Amino acid sequence: MNSGTFEVMWTAGNGPGTAVQSGGGATVRTAVDGPVQLTVVGECGATEEQLYTGLGAVADGRWAQLTMWPGSYWAIADRPGERLVAGDLAGLRAVFYTITEGTARWASRACDMADGSPDLPLLAARLVATDHWPDRSLYPGVHVVPGGSALLLTRGGPVRLVDVTAVPGRRSLAEGAPAFGQALTDAVALRMRSGQGPVGADLSGGLDSSTAVLLAAPLGEVRAVTYSDPYTSSEDTAFAVRVAEHASVRHHIAAGGAAQLPFDFPEDVPAGDEPCLSAANTAMDAAYLAPVAGPRCHLTGHGGDVVLSINSARFAGLLQAGDRHQAHRKVIAWARAQNAAPGPVWQQVKDTAAGYPYALAQAASQVASERIPAHDRVRAWSWVRLGTAASYLTGDGREAVAGLLRQAAHRATDKPAVEFAQWDALRFTAACSRAAAPLDASRRIRPVHPFLDNEVVRAAFAVDPFNRPRAFKPLLAAALPDLPPWLTGRQSKGNFTSWRIAGLARHLPRLRDLIRTSPLVTEGLIDAGAALRSLDVLARGEHSMGLADLHMLLVTCHWLAHPPTAVPPATYAKGAMPC
């Protein structure tokens, strides 16, 4: 049990009747009625009465009901012969499992059950095409329970996954906004009343972190932090100052410089189960988070983009529903708003509407034959977006990645584009936050992400994505009308492109060595020359195309060079659960 860390979780078991362990001082609460038991681990807003009422849901197998309290938590439920292990919808509270010699084991960290090195071909495939293998961890033999599912163990029976998404039926913006506003307000309030003392908070100046601060400020002491330097948006900083003044919260602005540029990769950075995008930002994070190290929690706006933004997958969704006229009209308006030619964007949307299995098969063919599509400046959403990283692959790498994409195509079923896009973005955001947990712990930061809470996600995903106003995050203003109009009316958002390019230039020699010595290169999956050419072009600032792919490659190379440290083995109860 990793009790010396700050909110790093460990829960494990062999099946019904085994104990639950947690590290990092997390809250563990249990309700029992004879053979029926319910345990919640983490930030669960259920009252004691509600927990005991939940025992009825356990007895009846109404599993989704156990995931409907405010907060972010695991639920472990036992009834005679069965155990359910549920994380959250996003996958921030992850559940992994293995099956060895007829015995199922589960845990909240994959690396603690791993028996071997990471799966390099899968890593390469995720670099090239993002994640289309949601039930596979990066460790052979260790499976993931995808967000929205729960693990059901039955004594003497097979391991099953059960659906706990329970998103309400589709609502109009006017109908769904109040439910979303209440869910988000409850999510922030839970963190403010869950302990004594101040809370920290990110305050970038964007809508999401600003909203969290404004909801929290009337409920207790908030200490907000902002990062600013010559490479980042001065408009964001100005909004952060205005929000802090409006909310009357304590506010610290960290003035960074060259020493805080990304991609420094110090040697002592702790790692999680998978590569972590924020591992590139260690100097910046150390500078701006230092004033809020230690408080009981740290509010963030992570997940706000997922639940508030209108994804261009809705165009393909309209075509899937047979509404070609409306799809075409909306695509033209969207393309013109992006200063792009509507024709190529419309063709992209038509290709996407052909479906998910087709898209995976096409991607496999393109990778195998090196026919990587051109990277247009403006692209609508697609099921599989082959990035610049596809051009880094060797022949063996192309064969391995194409094979994995073919496997995914064979297993895939067609899905509504909008729902797939929402859940895919949600799980990616949660995985990034989850991977950063060891880094956060090392800085004595305990982040909480209200936008990723189950009830917030459900309320957001229930709002009809097809008929929202074409404005920046219209759900937020409709859901929380008391927010200042100068905030909810903001139509811009800063980015870190110049900052990342400057970091590449500053650390170029070391980054070149990091790529050259990576197992992805030495095992023949990635062509070092191709990746280094991309690195050199981006470091010179010639363009920013492929910057996100290169960022992911670099943090992946660093992660492989500095793998996570396993938590000491848990002590399991006697009598393993045969499956």
Side-chain angles (χ1 to χ4, degrees):
M1 184 167 60
N2 197 9
S3 58
T5 60
F6 203 93
E7 185 65 354
V8 175
M9 304 302 303
W10 166 257
T11 57
N14 281 15
T18 58
V20 177
Q21 303 184 14
S22 72
T27 301
V28 180
R29 300 162 61 204
T30 299
V32 181
D33 183 8
V36 179
Q37 177 170 309
L38 172 62
T39 298
V40 291
V41 185
E43 305 147 355
C44 179
T47 64
E48 293 304 311
E49 181 180 355
Q50 287 172 326
L51 276 186
Y52 278 94
T53 301
L55 291 172
V58 177
D60 297 340
R62 289 180 280 117
W63 305 123
Q65 187 172 325
L66 308 178
T67 69
M68 293 182 177
W69 294 304
S72 178
Y73 57 92
W74 288 272
I76 300 95
D78 287 294
R79 64 180 184 172
E82 283 188 331
R83 162 167 282 186
L84 179 95
V85 186
D88 61 350
L89 301 189
L92 183 66
R93 302 294 194 181
V95 178
F96 301 91
Y97 67 98
T98 62
I99 303 173
T100 53
E101 298 180 355
T103 297
R105 292 191 299 139
W106 55 272
S108 60
R109 289 192 6 154
C111 61
D112 297 309
M113 294 189 295
D115 183 19
S117 300
D119 186 333
L120 292 180
L122 183 60
L123 256 180
R126 285 173 52 170
L127 280 170
V128 167
T130 67
D131 189 6
H132 299 279
W133 305 268
D135 59 339
R136 292 179 60 174
S137 81
L138 291 177
Y139 298 92
V142 180
H143 307 281
V144 182
V145 178
S149 296
L151 180 68
L152 184 63
L153 306 173
T154 303
R155 192 178 300 282
V159 171
R160 291 191 292 141
L161 300 184
V162 295
D163 184 4
V164 293
T165 51
V167 174
R170 187 161 287 171
R171 303 163 174 166
S172 69
L173 181 65
E175 293 168 334
F180 176 80
Q182 189 61 58
L184 184 60
T185 300
D186 291 345
V188 173
L190 172 64
R191 276 61 180 218
M192 296 304 295
R193 67 172 183 260
S194 62
Q196 299 297 316
V199 303
D202 288 342
L203 183 54
S204 68
L207 268 64
D208 311 331
S209 63
S210 297
T211 297
V213 167
L214 289 168
L215 290 175
L219 305 177
E221 183 183 354
V222 177
R223 297 178 180 175
V225 287
T226 301
Y227 178 79
S228 178
D229 71 13
Y231 304 96
T232 55
S233 168
S234 59
E235 183 185 16
D236 277 354
T237 304
F239 266 92
V241 170
R242 190 172 183 183
V243 169
E245 291 175 348
H246 182 83
S248 300
V249 299
R250 196 165 161 184
H251 187 208
H252 178 85
I253 300 176
Q260 281 71 47
L261 288 171
F263 305 113
D264 55 326
F265 292 124
E267 294 295 320
D268 58 348
V269 174
D273 274 339
E274 55 190 270
C276 171
L277 285 172
S278 61
N281 311 340
T282 53
M284 179 191 78
D285 290 344
Y288 96 95
L289 290 172
V292 289
R296 54 193 172 86
C297 70
H298 183 85
L299 288 165
T300 82
H302 295 326
D305 284 342
V306 177
V307 300
L308 294 171
S309 296
I310 309 172
N311 196 289
S312 60
R314 69 192 186 280
F315 306 143
L318 287 168
L319 272 182
Q320 286 179 319
D323 196 341
R324 183 183 180 89
H325 174 73
Q326 186 178 182
H328 188 253
R329 180 170 55 83
K330 287 184 177 291
V331 165
I332 290 174
W334 183 79
R336 286 175 175 165
Q338 310 293 318
N339 293 318
V345 178
W346 176 239
Q347 185 60 53
Q348 294 165 21
V349 172
K350 290 192 293 182
D351 291 344
T352 298
Y356 186 40
Y358 174 80
L360 287 165
Q362 284 292 101
S365 175
Q366 289 167 343
V367 169
S369 61
E370 286 190 272
R371 290 185 294 105
I372 308 303
H375 294 280
D376 299 332
R377 184 183 64 83
V378 175
R379 288 187 62 85
W381 177 86
S382 60
W383 305 96
V384 186
R385 179 166 294 185
L386 296 178
T388 304
S391 67
Y392 304 161
L393 294 172
T394 63
D396 288 345
R398 288 194 298 276
E399 183 178 345
V401 171
L404 284 166
L405 286 167
R406 289 189 199 101
Q407 291 174 18
H410 181 73
R411 297 178 57 190
T413 57
D414 229 342
K415 307 171 187 292
V418 171
E419 291 179 19
F420 180 93
Q422 287 177 321
W423 287 97
D424 184 57
L426 179 72
R427 290 164 182 159
F428 176 78
T429 300
C432 290
S433 298
R434 188 178 72 230
L439 272 169
D440 296 324
S442 70
R443 300 189 185 100
R444 297 194 302 132
I445 298 293
R446 182 177 174 268
V448 292
H449 313 296
F451 285 98
L452 294 178
D453 281 9
N454 288 350
E455 289 301 274
V456 176
V457 169
R458 287 186 175 110
F461 285 5
V463 176
D464 186 355
F466 295 106
N467 294 304
R468 300 189 197 185
R470 203 176 75 227
F472 189 51
K473 301 185 178 179
L475 176 57
L476 192 61
L480 297 167
D482 291 338
L483 291 176
W486 50 261
L487 177 65
T488 54
R490 186 179 179 189
Q491 299 297 306
S492 59
K493 182 177 181 178
N495 65 63
F496 283 78
T497 299
S498 298
W499 179 74
R500 289 196 285 180
I501 289 173
L504 294 177
R506 179 176 174 84
H507 301 292
L508 185 59
R510 186 174 179 195
L511 298 180
R512 292 175 64 87
D513 289 341
L514 188 63
I515 291 173
R516 286 193 192 100
T517 58
S518 172
L520 289 168
V521 170
T522 59
E523 294 299 316
L525 295 169
I526 294 289
D527 177 359
L532 291 172
R533 285 191 292 275
S534 180
L535 170 62
D536 289 344
V537 167
L538 285 164
R540 289 195 296 268
E542 294 181 14
H543 57 69
S544 61
M545 188 179 300
L547 181 57
D549 282 8
L550 183 66
H551 184 153
M552 182 57 80
L553 173 65
L554 291 170
V555 298
T556 299
C557 292
H558 181 262
W559 180 77
L560 288 168
H562 301 82
T565 302
V567 172
T571 301
Y572 297 105
K574 293 181 180 179
M577 196 269 313
C579 56

CSV table of all heavy atoms in Angstrom, one decimal, residues 191-235:
chain,number,residue,atom,x,y,z
A,191,ARG,N,-16.4,19.7,-3.0
A,191,ARG,CA,-15.0,19.9,-2.6
A,191,ARG,C,-14.8,21.0,-1.6
A,191,ARG,O,-13.9,20.9,-0.7
A,191,ARG,CB,-14.2,20.2,-3.9
A,191,ARG,CG,-13.8,19.0,-4.7
A,191,ARG,CD,-15.0,18.2,-5.2
A,191,ARG,NE,-14.5,17.1,-6.0
A,191,ARG,CZ,-15.1,16.6,-7.1
A,191,ARG,NH1,-16.2,17.3,-7.5
A,191,ARG,NH2,-14.7,15.6,-7.8
A,192,MET,N,-15.7,22.0,-1.6
A,192,MET,CA,-15.5,23.1,-0.7
A,192,MET,C,-15.9,22.7,0.8
A,192,MET,O,-15.4,23.3,1.7
A,192,MET,CB,-16.3,24.3,-1.1
A,192,MET,CG,-15.8,24.9,-2.5
A,192,MET,SD,-14.0,25.3,-2.4
A,192,MET,CE,-14.1,26.7,-1.2
A,193,ARG,N,-16.8,21.8,0.9
A,193,ARG,CA,-17.3,21.4,2.2
A,193,ARG,C,-16.7,20.1,2.7
A,193,ARG,O,-17.0,19.7,3.8
A,193,ARG,CB,-18.8,21.3,2.2
A,193,ARG,CG,-19.4,20.1,1.4
A,193,ARG,CD,-20.9,20.0,1.7
A,193,ARG,NE,-21.5,18.9,1.0
A,193,ARG,CZ,-22.1,18.9,-0.2
A,193,ARG,NH1,-22.3,20.1,-0.8
A,193,ARG,NH2,-22.6,17.9,-0.8
A,194,SER,N,-15.8,19.5,2.0
A,194,SER,CA,-15.3,18.2,2.4
A,194,SER,C,-14.1,18.3,3.3
A,194,SER,O,-13.5,17.2,3.6
A,194,SER,CB,-14.8,17.4,1.1
A,194,SER,OG,-13.8,18.1,0.4
A,195,GLY,N,-13.7,19.4,3.8
A,195,GLY,CA,-12.6,19.5,4.8
A,195,GLY,C,-12.4,20.9,5.3
A,195,GLY,O,-13.2,21.8,4.9
A,196,GLN,N,-11.4,21.1,6.1
A,196,GLN,CA,-11.1,22.4,6.6
A,196,GLN,C,-10.0,23.1,5.9
A,196,GLN,O,-9.1,22.4,5.3
A,196,GLN,CB,-10.7,22.3,8.1
A,196,GLN,CG,-11.9,21.7,9.0
A,196,GLN,CD,-13.1,22.6,9.0
A,196,GLN,OE1,-13.0,23.8,9.1
A,196,GLN,NE2,-14.3,22.0,8.9
A,197,GLY,N,-9.9,24.4,5.9
A,197,GLY,CA,-8.8,25.1,5.3
A,197,GLY,C,-9.1,25.5,3.9
A,197,GLY,O,-10.1,25.2,3.3
A,198,PRO,N,-8.1,26.2,3.3
A,198,PRO,CA,-8.3,26.7,1.9
A,198,PRO,C,-8.2,25.7,0.9
A,198,PRO,O,-7.6,24.6,1.2
A,198,PRO,CB,-7.1,27.8,1.8
A,198,PRO,CG,-6.1,27.2,2.7
A,198,PRO,CD,-6.8,26.6,3.9
A,199,VAL,N,-8.6,26.0,-0.3
A,199,VAL,CA,-8.4,25.1,-1.5
A,199,VAL,C,-7.6,25.9,-2.5
A,199,VAL,O,-7.7,27.1,-2.6
A,199,VAL,CB,-9.7,24.6,-2.1
A,199,VAL,CG1,-10.5,23.8,-1.1
A,199,VAL,CG2,-10.5,25.7,-2.7
A,200,GLY,N,-6.8,25.2,-3.2
A,200,GLY,CA,-6.1,25.9,-4.4
A,200,GLY,C,-7.0,25.8,-5.6
A,200,GLY,O,-8.0,25.1,-5.6
A,201,ALA,N,-6.6,26.5,-6.6
A,201,ALA,CA,-7.4,26.5,-7.9
A,201,ALA,C,-6.5,27.0,-9.0
A,201,ALA,O,-5.9,28.0,-8.9
A,201,ALA,CB,-8.6,27.4,-7.7
A,202,ASP,N,-6.6,26.3,-10.1
A,202,ASP,CA,-6.1,26.8,-11.4
A,202,ASP,C,-7.0,28.0,-11.8
A,202,ASP,O,-8.2,28.0,-11.7
A,202,ASP,CB,-6.1,25.8,-12.5
A,202,ASP,CG,-5.1,24.7,-12.3
A,202,ASP,OD1,-4.1,24.9,-11.6
A,202,ASP,OD2,-5.2,23.6,-12.9
A,203,LEU,N,-6.4,29.0,-12.4
A,203,LEU,CA,-7.1,30.2,-12.9
A,203,LEU,C,-6.4,30.6,-14.2
A,203,LEU,O,-5.6,31.6,-14.1
A,203,LEU,CB,-7.3,31.3,-11.9
A,203,LEU,CG,-8.1,32.5,-12.3
A,203,LEU,CD1,-9.5,32.1,-12.9
A,203,LEU,CD2,-8.3,33.5,-11.2
A,204,SER,N,-6.6,29.9,-15.3
A,204,SER,CA,-5.9,30.3,-16.5
A,204,SER,C,-6.5,31.5,-17.2
A,204,SER,O,-5.8,32.2,-18.0
A,204,SER,CB,-6.0,29.1,-17.5
A,204,SER,OG,-7.4,29.0,-17.9
A,205,GLY,N,-7.7,31.9,-16.8
A,205,GLY,CA,-8.5,32.9,-17.5
A,205,GLY,C,-9.5,32.4,-18.5
A,205,GLY,O,-10.3,33.2,-19.0
A,206,GLY,N,-9.4,31.1,-18.8
A,206,GLY,CA,-10.4,30.5,-19.7
A,206,GLY,C,-11.7,30.3,-18.9
A,206,GLY,O,-11.8,30.4,-17.7
A,207,LEU,N,-12.8,29.9,-19.7
A,207,LEU,CA,-14.1,29.8,-19.1
A,207,LEU,C,-14.2,28.7,-18.0
A,207,LEU,O,-14.8,28.9,-17.0
A,207,LEU,CB,-15.1,29.5,-20.2
A,207,LEU,CG,-15.8,30.7,-20.8
A,207,LEU,CD1,-14.8,31.6,-21.6
A,207,LEU,CD2,-16.9,30.3,-21.8
A,208,ASP,N,-13.5,27.6,-18.2
A,208,ASP,CA,-13.7,26.4,-17.4
A,208,ASP,C,-13.1,26.6,-16.0
A,208,ASP,O,-13.8,26.5,-15.0
A,208,ASP,CB,-13.0,25.2,-18.0
A,208,ASP,CG,-13.5,25.0,-19.5
A,208,ASP,OD1,-14.6,25.5,-19.8
A,208,ASP,OD2,-12.7,24.5,-20.3
A,209,SER,N,-11.8,27.0,-15.9
A,209,SER,CA,-11.2,27.2,-14.6
A,209,SER,C,-11.8,28.5,-13.9
A,209,SER,O,-12.0,28.5,-12.7
A,209,SER,CB,-9.7,27.4,-14.7
A,209,SER,OG,-9.3,28.5,-15.5
A,210,SER,N,-12.2,29.5,-14.7
A,210,SER,CA,-12.8,30.7,-14.1
A,210,SER,C,-14.1,30.3,-13.5
A,210,SER,O,-14.5,30.8,-12.4
A,210,SER,CB,-13.0,31.7,-15.2
A,210,SER,OG,-11.8,32.2,-15.8
A,211,THR,N,-14.9,29.5,-14.2
A,211,THR,CA,-16.2,29.1,-13.6
A,211,THR,C,-16.0,28.3,-12.3
A,211,THR,O,-16.8,28.6,-11.3
A,211,THR,CB,-17.0,28.2,-14.6
A,211,THR,OG1,-17.2,29.0,-15.8
A,211,THR,CG2,-18.3,27.7,-14.1
A,212,ALA,N,-15.1,27.4,-12.2
A,212,ALA,CA,-14.8,26.7,-11.0
A,212,ALA,C,-14.5,27.6,-9.9
A,212,ALA,O,-15.0,27.5,-8.7
A,212,ALA,CB,-13.7,25.6,-11.2
A,213,VAL,N,-13.7,28.6,-10.1
A,213,VAL,CA,-13.3,29.6,-9.1
A,213,VAL,C,-14.5,30.4,-8.7
A,213,VAL,O,-14.7,30.6,-7.5
A,213,VAL,CB,-12.1,30.5,-9.6
A,213,VAL,CG1,-12.0,31.7,-8.7
A,213,VAL,CG2,-10.8,29.7,-9.7
A,214,LEU,N,-15.3,30.8,-9.6
A,214,LEU,CA,-16.4,31.7,-9.3
A,214,LEU,C,-17.5,30.9,-8.5
A,214,LEU,O,-18.2,31.5,-7.6
A,214,LEU,CB,-17.1,32.3,-10.5
A,214,LEU,CG,-16.2,33.3,-11.2
A,214,LEU,CD1,-16.7,33.7,-12.6
A,214,LEU,CD2,-16.2,34.6,-10.4
A,215,LEU,N,-17.7,29.6,-8.8
A,215,LEU,CA,-18.6,28.8,-8.0
A,215,LEU,C,-18.1,28.5,-6.6
A,215,LEU,O,-18.8,28.4,-5.6
A,215,LEU,CB,-18.9,27.5,-8.7
A,215,LEU,CG,-19.7,27.6,-10.0
A,215,LEU,CD1,-19.8,26.2,-10.7
A,215,LEU,CD2,-21.1,28.1,-9.7
A,216,ALA,N,-16.7,28.4,-6.5
A,216,ALA,CA,-16.1,28.0,-5.2
A,216,ALA,C,-16.0,29.2,-4.2
A,216,ALA,O,-16.1,29.0,-3.0
A,216,ALA,CB,-14.8,27.4,-5.4
A,217,ALA,N,-15.7,30.4,-4.8
A,217,ALA,CA,-15.4,31.5,-3.9
A,217,ALA,C,-16.4,31.8,-2.8
A,217,ALA,O,-16.0,32.2,-1.7
A,217,ALA,CB,-15.1,32.7,-4.8
A,218,PRO,N,-17.7,31.8,-3.1
A,218,PRO,CA,-18.7,32.1,-2.0
A,218,PRO,C,-18.7,31.1,-0.9
A,218,PRO,O,-19.3,31.3,0.2
A,218,PRO,CB,-20.0,32.2,-2.7
A,218,PRO,CG,-19.7,32.3,-4.1
A,218,PRO,CD,-18.4,31.6,-4.3
A,219,LEU,N,-18.1,29.9,-1.1
A,219,LEU,CA,-18.2,28.8,-0.2
A,219,LEU,C,-17.0,28.6,0.8
A,219,LEU,O,-17.1,27.7,1.6
A,219,LEU,CB,-18.5,27.5,-1.0
A,219,LEU,CG,-19.7,27.5,-1.9
A,219,LEU,CD1,-19.7,26.2,-2.7
A,219,LEU,CD2,-21.0,27.8,-1.2
A,220,GLY,N,-16.0,29.4,0.6
A,220,GLY,CA,-14.8,29.2,1.4
A,220,GLY,C,-13.6,29.9,0.8
A,220,GLY,O,-13.7,30.5,-0.2
A,221,GLU,N,-12.4,29.7,1.4
A,221,GLU,CA,-11.2,30.4,1.0
A,221,GLU,C,-10.6,29.7,-0.2
A,221,GLU,O,-10.4,28.5,-0.2
A,221,GLU,CB,-10.2,30.4,2.1
A,221,GLU,CG,-8.9,31.2,1.7
A,221,GLU,CD,-7.9,31.2,2.8
A,221,GLU,OE1,-8.1,30.7,3.9
A,221,GLU,OE2,-6.7,31.7,2.6
A,222,VAL,N,-10.4,30.4,-1.3
A,222,VAL,CA,-9.8,29.9,-2.5
A,222,VAL,C,-8.5,30.7,-2.8
A,222,VAL,O,-8.5,31.9,-2.7
A,222,VAL,CB,-10.8,30.1,-3.7
A,222,VAL,CG1,-10.1,29.6,-5.0
A,222,VAL,CG2,-12.1,29.3,-3.5
A,223,ARG,N,-7.5,29.9,-3.1
A,223,ARG,CA,-6.2,30.5,-3.5
A,223,ARG,C,-5.9,30.2,-4.9
A,223,ARG,O,-5.6,29.0,-5.2
A,223,ARG,CB,-5.1,30.0,-2.6
A,223,ARG,CG,-5.3,30.4,-1.1
A,223,ARG,CD,-4.2,29.8,-0.2
A,223,ARG,NE,-4.4,30.2,1.2
A,223,ARG,CZ,-3.6,29.8,2.2
A,223,ARG,NH1,-2.6,29.0,1.9
A,223,ARG,NH2,-3.9,30.1,3.4
A,224,ALA,N,-6.1,31.1,-5.8
A,224,ALA,CA,-6.0,30.9,-7.2
A,224,ALA,C,-4.5,31.2,-7.7
A,224,ALA,O,-3.9,32.1,-7.3
A,224,ALA,CB,-7.0,31.7,-8.0
A,225,VAL,N,-4.1,30.4,-8.7
A,225,VAL,CA,-2.8,30.6,-9.3
A,225,VAL,C,-2.9,30.6,-10.8
A,225,VAL,O,-3.7,29.9,-11.5
A,225,VAL,CB,-1.8,29.5,-8.9
A,225,VAL,CG1,-1.4,29.6,-7.4
A,225,VAL,CG2,-2.4,28.1,-9.1
A,226,THR,N,-2.1,31.5,-11.4
A,226,THR,CA,-2.0,31.7,-12.9
A,226,THR,C,-0.6,31.7,-13.3
A,226,THR,O,0.3,32.2,-12.6
A,226,THR,CB,-2.7,33.0,-13.2
A,226,THR,OG1,-4.0,33.1,-12.8
A,226,THR,CG2,-2.7,33.3,-14.7
A,227,TYR,N,-0.3,31.2,-14.5
A,227,TYR,CA,1.0,31.2,-15.1
A,227,TYR,C,1.0,32.2,-16.3
A,227,TYR,O,0.1,32.2,-17.1
A,227,TYR,CB,1.4,29.8,-15.6
A,227,TYR,CG,2.8,29.9,-16.3
A,227,TYR,CD1,4.0,29.9,-15.5
A,227,TYR,CD2,2.9,29.9,-17.6
A,227,TYR,CE1,5.2,29.9,-16.1
A,227,TYR,CE2,4.2,29.9,-18.3
A,227,TYR,CZ,5.3,30.0,-17.5
A,227,TYR,OH,6.5,30.0,-18.1
A,228,SER,N,2.1,33.0,-16.3
A,228,SER,CA,2.2,34.0,-17.4
A,228,SER,C,3.7,34.1,-17.8
A,228,SER,O,4.5,34.1,-16.9
A,228,SER,CB,1.6,35.3,-17.0
A,228,SER,OG,1.8,36.3,-18.0
A,229,ASP,N,3.9,34.2,-19.1
A,229,ASP,CA,5.3,34.5,-19.6
A,229,ASP,C,5.2,35.1,-20.9
A,229,ASP,O,4.1,35.3,-21.5
A,229,ASP,CB,6.2,33.2,-19.5
A,229,ASP,CG,5.9,32.2,-20.6
A,229,ASP,OD1,5.1,32.5,-21.5
A,229,ASP,OD2,6.3,31.1,-20.5
A,230,PRO,N,6.3,35.5,-21.5
A,230,PRO,CA,6.2,36.2,-22.8
A,230,PRO,C,5.7,35.4,-24.0
A,230,PRO,O,5.3,35.9,-25.0
A,230,PRO,CB,7.7,36.6,-23.1
A,230,PRO,CG,8.3,36.7,-21.8
A,230,PRO,CD,7.7,35.6,-21.0
A,231,TYR,N,5.6,34.1,-23.8
A,231,TYR,CA,5.1,33.2,-24.9
A,231,TYR,C,3.6,32.9,-24.8
A,231,TYR,O,3.1,32.3,-25.7
A,231,TYR,CB,5.9,31.9,-24.9
A,231,TYR,CG,7.4,32.1,-25.0
A,231,TYR,CD1,8.2,32.1,-23.8
A,231,TYR,CD2,8.0,32.3,-26.2
A,231,TYR,CE1,9.6,32.3,-23.9
A,231,TYR,CE2,9.4,32.5,-26.3
A,231,TYR,CZ,10.2,32.5,-25.1
A,231,TYR,OH,11.5,32.7,-25.2
A,232,THR,N,3.0,33.2,-23.7
A,232,THR,CA,1.6,32.8,-23.5
A,232,THR,C,0.7,34.0,-23.6
A,232,THR,O,1.1,35.1,-23.7
A,232,THR,CB,1.4,32.1,-22.1
A,232,THR,OG1,1.9,33.0,-21.1
A,232,THR,CG2,2.2,30.8,-22.0
A,233,SER,N,-0.6,33.7,-23.6
A,233,SER,CA,-1.6,34.7,-23.9
A,233,SER,C,-1.8,35.8,-22.8
A,233,SER,O,-2.2,35.5,-21.7
A,233,SER,CB,-3.0,34.0,-24.2
A,233,SER,OG,-4.0,35.0,-24.2
A,234,SER,N,-1.5,37.0,-23.2
A,234,SER,CA,-1.7,38.1,-22.2
A,234,SER,C,-3.2,38.3,-22.0
A,234,SER,O,-3.6,38.8,-20.9
A,234,SER,CB,-1.0,39.4,-22.7
A,234,SER,OG,-1.6,39.8,-24.0
A,235,GLU,N,-4.0,38.0,-23.0
A,235,GLU,CA,-5.5,38.1,-22.8
A,235,GLU,C,-6.0,37.2,-21.8
A,235,GLU,O,-6.8,37.5,-20.9
A,235,GLU,CB,-6.2,37.9,-24.1
A,235,GLU,CG,-7.7,38.1,-24.1
A,235,GLU,CD,-8.4,37.7,-25.3
A,235,GLU,OE1,-7.8,37.0,-26.2
A,235,GLU,OE2,-9.6,38.0,-25.5
